């Protein structure tokens, strides 16, 4: 068994606009990283993302960026409850998972965004963490769509 997932959404904007909304920290901070993003997603960069619902900025390692096509990231795996869950203790792990985002222009002018994450170890904590990340990336795609198509920040006030 290999723990991995893929989520996808169609955004009614051209591929360059959608790609920039993810790669540019200023834009990403407006609809996804509720505590802010520091650093543009470029090959070889290490950037930080902060979320108000998971306080404390954490590093994101940018492995590859092909403008308007693909972003590959790595970040530290977690095999426990997030620290904001009452009574839970976070258990970070000593390895990273890989996130691959692809951006594909569609014939009707929309962009198909796919996000896949893989690389968890096969244990109960990692399985639970993968479910949480799958939920998080699904929410990111919904937030991206609402932001680009309607100017609405879905995450504002949703978690804290």
């Amino acid at each position: 068994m290999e723990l991995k997932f893929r989520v996808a959404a169609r955004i009614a904007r051209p591929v360059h606009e959608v790609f920039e909304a993810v790669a540019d920290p200023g834009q990403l901070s407006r609809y996804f990283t509720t505590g802010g993003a520091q650093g543009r997603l470029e090959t070889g960069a290490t950037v930080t993302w902060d979320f108000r619902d998971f306080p404390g900025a954490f590093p994101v390692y940018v492995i590859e960026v092909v403008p308007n096509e693909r972003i590959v990231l790595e970040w530290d795996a977690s095999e426990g409850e997030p620290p904001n869950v009452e009574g839970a203790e976070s258990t970070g792990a000593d390895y990273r998972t890989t996130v691959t985002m692809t951006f594909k222009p569609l014939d009707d002018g929309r962009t198909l965004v796919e996000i896949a994450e893989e690389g968890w170890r096969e244990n109960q904590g990692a399985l639970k963490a993968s479910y949480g990340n799958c939920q998080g990336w699904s929410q990111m795609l919904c937030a991206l769509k609402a932001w680009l198509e309607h100017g609405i920040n879905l995450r504002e006030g949703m978690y804290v």
Side-chain angles (χ1 to χ4, degrees):
M1 172 176 75
E2 184 179 356
L3 296 179
K4 62 182 179 178
F5 64 82
R6 183 186 68 82
V7 295
R10 287 160 182 78
I11 312 293
R13 290 291 183 267
V15 71
H16 179 72
E17 188 176 333
V18 177
F19 180 87
E20 282 300 313
V22 176
D24 175 22
Q27 291 190 60
L28 193 66
S29 297
R30 299 199 60 198
Y31 69 89
F32 181 55
T33 55
T34 53
Q38 300 295 320
R40 182 173 174 81
L41 298 180
E42 297 177 320
T43 301
T46 299
V47 302
T48 58
W49 289 354
D50 193 359
F51 297 90
R52 287 189 187 113
D53 47 324
F54 295 98
F58 58 91
V60 176
Y61 308 95
V62 186
I63 305 305
E64 177 187 32
V65 173
V66 178
N68 303 324
E69 291 181 23
R70 180 175 52 256
I71 298 171
V72 181
L73 313 168
E74 287 184 352
W75 55 9
D76 294 338
S78 173
E79 293 185 0
E81 292 288 347
N84 68 332
V85 175
E86 189 172 325
E89 187 173 312
S90 179
T91 54
D94 60 353
Y95 66 98
R96 297 177 185 164
T97 59
T98 301
V99 176
T100 302
M101 303 178 186
T102 59
F103 303 82
K104 298 176 185 170
L106 301 174
D107 291 341
D108 60 5
R110 296 182 301 164
T111 299
L112 174 63
V113 182
E114 295 181 336
I115 302 175
E117 188 167 357
E118 61 188 339
W120 284 278
R121 293 185 178 148
E122 295 178 24
N123 62 57
Q124 190 61 40
L127 178 64
K128 191 169 189 173
S130 72
Y131 289 162
N133 283 21
C134 184
Q135 176 185 357
W137 287 121
S138 295
Q139 291 171 348
M140 185 270 200
L141 289 175
C142 291
L144 174 64
K145 183 175 182 68
W147 178 254
L148 285 179
E149 293 181 12
H150 306 287
I152 297 169
N153 182 345
L154 289 180
R155 292 181 57 90
E156 186 166 339
M158 186 169 183
Y159 301 103
V160 292

